[in-house]
Amino acid sequence: MSVLEAFDLYRFYHTGEDETLALRGVSLHVDAGEMVVVMGPSGSGKSTLLSCLVGLDEPDGGHVELLGKRLTRRPEAERAAMRAAEIGILLQSRNLFEHLSVTDNMRLQMHLAHKFNRQRLDDLVEKVGLANRRHARPAQLSGGEAARAGLAVALSTNPNVLLADEPTGEVDAETEQDILRLLASRCQEGGATLIVTHSDALAARADRVVRLFDGRVVNG
Ligand code: ADP
Ligand code: MG
């Protein structure tokens, strides 16, 4: 069984007279222990796809299943509970609350999922190389540190699925390798991972690459 599966997703945006066909029949799946990379030019629908996959946005057609259970077309409270319990999310807008420190951001995420674990928090903050920045607030972090803090928050609940939009977008090559190692070890432990990226280094490590163009999956 796939951990996360999308069936024929459609998403249209209307602005005045204009209609944008952001997703036109996208299907994909991510299995346990698998790292799937989604690539495609700007505007091809990658971020729209991620939002639909995690239930932050509702597709106009098709549906998403999380661990075999339909996520689409449920009340937001139910989607939020499924999301908190099973999914780690790192969107482009980042997932950090500005008034909370790195570890308080992680702690909050864990509490929302009813999964607070002090040991895991300490291990993870160490793994992402932020042990000495654990009390810093997001505004006090460099771009690379903020990216790693965001990843630590997304991974804090040890989610079945991790979805990340450009996790290495603004980081140096060394930080990118750190993040890659973290993602690889997660997959070895059986976690499912889906990453939107332009990074060839990340794509080279993926089990599969899904290419989007104009809201459709193109071969490869
Ligand atoms: P990508 O992440 O691949 O750059 P997006 O999913 O952000 O692509 O966008 C896909 C298409 O949908 C683009 O043409 C974009 O302009 C449009 N779009 C995205 N979000 C909205 C929105 N909230 N309202 C109107 N159009 C949108
Ligand atoms: Mg995007």
Side-chain angles (χ1 to χ4, degrees):
M1 184 184 70
S2 291
V3 177
L4 187 68
E5 189 158 8
F7 299 86
D8 213 17
L9 297 183
Y10 285 80
R11 184 73 175 98
F12 309 136
Y13 294 113
H14 295 102
T15 333
E17 301 275 289
D18 294 330
E19 181 177 66
T20 304
L21 311 178
L23 298 178
R24 320 187 204 198
V26 173
S27 297
L28 62 76
H29 63 96
V30 192
D31 296 342
E34 202 180 27
M35 193 200 298
V36 175
V37 154
V38 175
M39 298 184 102
S42 179
S44 58
K46 305 181 299 294
S47 295
T48 303
L49 175 62
L50 273 203
S51 297
C52 288
L53 284 174
V54 302
L56 285 170
D57 191 12
E58 283 277 60
D60 296 303
H63 75 280
V64 174
E65 287 181 13
L66 178 61
L67 297 166
K69 187 176 169 191
R70 178 174 47 78
L71 175 68
T72 311
R73 287 184 295 279
R74 276 182 195 284
E76 166 55 23
E78 282 181 36
R79 279 187 276 143
M82 287 172 75
R83 206 160 43 230
E86 312 292 355
I87 310 182
I89 309 172
L90 180 56
L91 295 182
Q92 272 178 310
S93 52
R94 301 290 176 220
N95 52 355
L96 304 170
F97 288 102
E98 287 297 330
H99 62 290
L100 295 178
S101 69
V102 171
T103 45
D104 281 346
N105 266 285
M106 295 167 72
R107 205 186 305 268
L108 174 63
Q109 188 64 35
M110 288 173 159
H111 279 302
L112 285 173
H114 308 290
K115 284 187 186 173
F116 182 72
N117 180 327
R118 181 67 206 231
Q119 188 64 49
R120 180 166 174 80
L121 189 150
D122 288 339
D123 288 349
L124 199 53
V125 82
E126 185 79 41
K127 262 196 199 166
V128 298
L130 291 177
N132 59 347
R133 305 292 284 138
R134 58 189 296 149
H135 300 303
R137 283 195 300 277
Q140 301 167 316
L141 300 173
S142 71
E145 287 172 341
R148 283 177 284 152
L151 192 62
V153 169
L155 290 175
S156 60
T157 59
N158 196 19
N160 273 306
V161 203
L162 171 72
L163 290 102
D165 205 349
E166 292 281 0
T168 61
E170 304 140 42
V171 307
D172 55 58
E174 198 182 325
T175 306
E176 178 168 58
Q177 286 305 318
D178 292 343
I179 290 178
L180 261 170
R181 268 192 291 277
L182 204 63
L183 294 175
S185 79
R186 204 192 111 70
C187 287
Q188 267 156 21
E189 289 162 14
T193 306
L194 184 138
I195 299 170
V196 167
T197 187
H198 290 289
S199 158
D200 292 326
L202 259 175
R205 294 280 199 98
D207 295 301
R208 269 185 303 124
V209 177
V210 172
R211 291 184 192 280
L212 274 192
F213 189 81
D214 242 354
R216 288 194 181 94
V217 175
V218 291
N219 49 344

